[in-house]
């Protein structure tokens, strides 16, 4: 088996539009939540979200190109470029048929779908659709754009598994390289679901916080008064690389990936298993794959969505796997700052873990003010 390392990082998030900005904001405990600016929210129960701030597509793309690429793919291209530059990879010196892209997004071109359907319904005469409708909305277009930009002719596909989408992308990229099938993979995920349909749909599910009087403190994982998640957007990218390949070019190495796992609760469409069964099993699987024990772990960046059921189930899962070692662990939820990036949550929180490793500091959980008697004291 090959060893796999992270040699480049890119990020665009509600608390910072670059990797360095994101890192700084994490340790400042900055909240990315605020009133929605893109559309009228007067008819919505939840009127806030974690938007990427000050974003103008034409700062990154030519106007024509920006019109032809959905926001989620724009985020993908932006973070992939930052990660590539950070890695120092010279595409003239690598085997492009052994370089690929594996990308995750839970929803894909939601903004494109919404805009096109609205235009079709409101148009006079037969509905008219853009020839770019399908290419803009499919999830696999994001890795397609990235591969075309860099000429990567190796593996290229998307993972779609709701909140786990980018986590699965990273896991699959890790497996692909350690099996010797590739040298370099750009992996991660992006999401741009802060739209009228996105907010309306999640609100109807009773999943969103309605703390409109205090948006900055609305995402409060493990707090007794949590009332739902805050919708976020953005993306992140890793350059995963065969260790020998990285050493041969004297690459900077952030961290090594040593294990992964994947499970399902097989329980309910939206609610977690009450005992966190899938979560506990996947942690055990990852530890076994990495050939380490619970005592070797010192930080967990939890899913921590700030939902009443989810936070309890996750706490039970951690207790089951780590036992008394839970009291030696550092545990935090960076969703308290970024909100929930849906399919991009895995990568943006994996980046937080890489930052914690390299800085020897743990990012905080903000907005936690009231202990929940149903949760372990360690989490509170």
């Amino acid at each position: 088996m090959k060893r796999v390392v992270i040699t480049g990082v890119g990020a665009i998030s509600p608390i910072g539009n670059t990797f360095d900005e994101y890192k700084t904001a994490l340790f400042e405990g900055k909240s990315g939540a605020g009133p929605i600016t893109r559309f009228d929210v007067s008819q919505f129960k939840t009127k806030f979200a974690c938007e990427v701030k000050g974003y103008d597509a034409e700062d990154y793309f030519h106007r024509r190109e920006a019109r032809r690429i959905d926001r989620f793919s724009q985020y993908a291209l932006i973070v992939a470029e930052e990660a590539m530059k950070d890695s120092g990879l010279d595409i003239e010196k690598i085997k492009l048929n052994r370089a690929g892209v594996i990308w995750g997004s839970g929803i894909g071109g939601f903004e494109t779908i919404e805009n096109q359907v609205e235009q079709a319904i409101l148009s006079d005469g037969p509905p008219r659709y853009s020839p770019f409708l399908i290419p803009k909305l499919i999830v696999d277009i994001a890795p397609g754009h990235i591969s075309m930009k860099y000429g990567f002719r190796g593996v290229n596909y998307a993972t779609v598994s709701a909140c786990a989408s980018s986590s699965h992308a990273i896991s699959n990229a890790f497996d692909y390289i350690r099996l010797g099938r590739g040298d370099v993979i750009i992996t991660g995920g992006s999401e741009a679901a802060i739209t009228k349909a996105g907010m309306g749909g999640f609100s109807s599910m009773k999943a969103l916080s309605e703390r409109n009087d205090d948006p900055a403190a609305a995402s409060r994982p493990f707090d007794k008064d949590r009332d739902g998640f805050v919708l976020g957007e953005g993306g992140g990218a890793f350059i995963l690389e065969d260790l020998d390949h990285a050493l041969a070019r004297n690459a900077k190495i952030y961290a090594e990936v040593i294990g992964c796992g994947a499970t399902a609760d097989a329980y309910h469409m939206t609610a977690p298993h009450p005992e966190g069964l899938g979560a506990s099993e996947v942690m055990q699987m990852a530890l076994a794959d990495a050939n380490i024990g619970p005592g070797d772990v010192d930080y967990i960046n939890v899913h921590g969505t700030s939902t009443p059921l989810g936070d309890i189930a996750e706490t039970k899962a951690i207790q089951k796997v780590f036992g008394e070692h839970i009291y030696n662990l550092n545990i935090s939820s960076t969703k308290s700052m970024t909100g929930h990036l849906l399919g991009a949550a895995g990568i943006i929180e994996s980046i937080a873990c890489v930052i914690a490793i390299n800085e020897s500091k743990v990012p905080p959980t903000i907005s936690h003010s009231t202990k929940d008697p149903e949760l372990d004291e360690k989490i509170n």
Side-chain angles (χ1 to χ4, degrees), residues 4-11 76 79-80 83-84 99-105 143 146 152 155 157-159 164-177 184-190 235-241 257 343 346-348 350-351:
V4 183
V5 293
I6 299 166
T7 59
V9 185
V79 297
M84 281 292 287
V101 187
I102 302 178
W103 204 254
S105 182
I146 296 169
F152 285 9
V155 62
Y157 65 89
T159 54
S165 296
S166 58
S167 296
H168 281 134
I170 299 166
S171 174
N172 288 7
F174 166 57
D175 280 338
Y176 203 86
I177 294 173
V184 176
I185 295 181
I186 302 176
T187 188
S190 54
F238 281 151
I239 304 300
L240 291 194
E241 194 168 348
V257 184
I347 179 63
I348 206 69
S350 293
I351 293 172

Side-chain angles (χ1 to χ4, degrees), residues 263-267 272-284 313-314 316-318 320-321:
T263 61
D265 274 358
Y267 176 73
H273 188 284
E275 299 302 316
L277 183 62
S280 63
E281 290 178 340
V282 78
M283 287 188 281
Q284 290 166 337
E314 190 169 12
K316 289 181 178 179
I318 295 171
K320 182 176 180 179
V321 174

Side-chain angles (χ1 to χ4, degrees), residues 13 31 35 307:
S13 78
S31 172
T307 55

Side-chain angles (χ1 to χ4, degrees), residues 22-339:
Y22 174 58
K23 177 170 63 176
T24 298
L26 278 181
F27 293 123
E28 289 178 348
K30 180 179 179 181
S31 172
I36 292 172
T37 63
R38 291 196 201 122
F39 51 88
D40 180 12
V41 295
S42 59
Q43 302 302 311
F44 290 85
K45 289 183 178 179
T46 296
K47 306 178 189 302
F48 60 93
C50 286
E51 296 176 318
V52 170
K53 311 298 187 294
Y55 181 75
D56 184 341
E58 292 183 27
D59 290 340
Y60 301 90
F61 307 94
H62 186 277
R63 181 178 299 177
R64 173 182 286 185
E65 186 181 17
R67 287 202 302 264
R68 294 180 176 182
I69 304 174
D70 188 89
R71 187 188 297 263
F72 98 99
S73 290
Q74 293 172 14
Y75 290 159
L77 282 162
I78 290 165
V79 297
E81 181 176 7
E82 184 181 19
M84 281 292 287
K85 288 180 178 177
D86 186 42
S87 73
L89 273 167
D90 183 346
I91 59 175
E92 301 294 329
K93 296 181 179 179
I94 64 175
K95 295 179 180 178
L96 295 177
N97 63 341
R98 290 183 59 80
V101 187
I102 302 178
W103 204 254
S105 182
I107 298 177
F110 209 1
E111 193 170 54
T112 293
I113 298 171
E114 182 177 295
N115 291 342
Q116 285 285 290
V117 170
E118 280 187 344
Q119 289 175 25
I121 291 172
L122 296 175
S123 64
D124 295 327
R128 298 181 63 184
Y129 294 94
S130 165
F132 295 100
L133 170 59
I134 303 303
K136 285 177 70 175
L137 68 86
I138 57 175
V139 173
D140 193 45
I141 198 64
H145 279 306
I146 296 169
S147 67
M148 288 186 287
K149 180 171 183 176
Y150 299 105
F152 285 9
R153 301 194 308 274
V155 62
N156 186 285
Y157 65 89
T159 54
V160 183
S161 50
C163 310
S165 296
S166 58
S167 296
H168 281 134
I170 299 166
S171 174
N172 288 7
F174 166 57
D175 280 338
Y176 203 86
I177 294 173
R178 69 171 167 172
L179 289 172
R181 295 175 178 171
D183 301 324
V184 176
I185 295 181
I186 302 176
T187 188
S190 54
E191 204 79 271
I194 301 176
T195 69
K196 286 177 279 188
M199 292 299 296
F202 282 116
S203 181
S204 294
M205 290 169 63
K206 308 294 184 185
L208 298 179
S209 169
E210 297 180 7
R211 197 179 292 273
N212 294 300
D213 58 337
D214 190 12
S219 183
R220 44 177 61 207
F222 307 112
D223 188 276
K224 180 179 181 294
D225 298 321
R226 64 191 183 279
D227 69 329
F229 74 81
V230 179
L231 188 57
E233 64 174 1
F238 281 151
I239 304 300
L240 291 194
E241 194 168 348
D242 173 358
L243 175 61
D244 293 333
H245 190 274
L247 292 175
R249 65 182 188 87
N250 197 30
K252 167 182 58 184
I253 295 174
Y254 284 100
E256 181 177 1
V257 184
I258 61 172
C260 65
T263 61
D265 274 358
Y267 176 73
H268 186 272
M269 186 166 58
T270 55
H273 188 284
E275 299 302 316
L277 183 62
S280 63
E281 290 178 340
V282 78
M283 287 188 281
Q284 290 166 337
M285 186 183 295
L287 290 170
D289 188 43
N291 196 30
I292 62 173
D296 296 314
V297 176
D298 59 12
Y299 173 54
I300 300 177
N301 187 300
V302 291
H303 192 50
T305 57
S306 189
T307 55
L309 296 179
D311 289 1
I312 291 174
E314 190 169 12
T315 302
K316 289 181 178 179
I318 295 171
Q319 287 173 317
K320 182 176 180 179
V321 174
F322 291 92
E324 287 300 307
H325 182 58
I326 192 174
Y327 301 107
N328 300 317
L329 286 170
N330 296 288
I331 299 172
S332 68
S333 171
T334 47
K335 281 188 180 73
S336 59
M337 293 174 271
T338 66

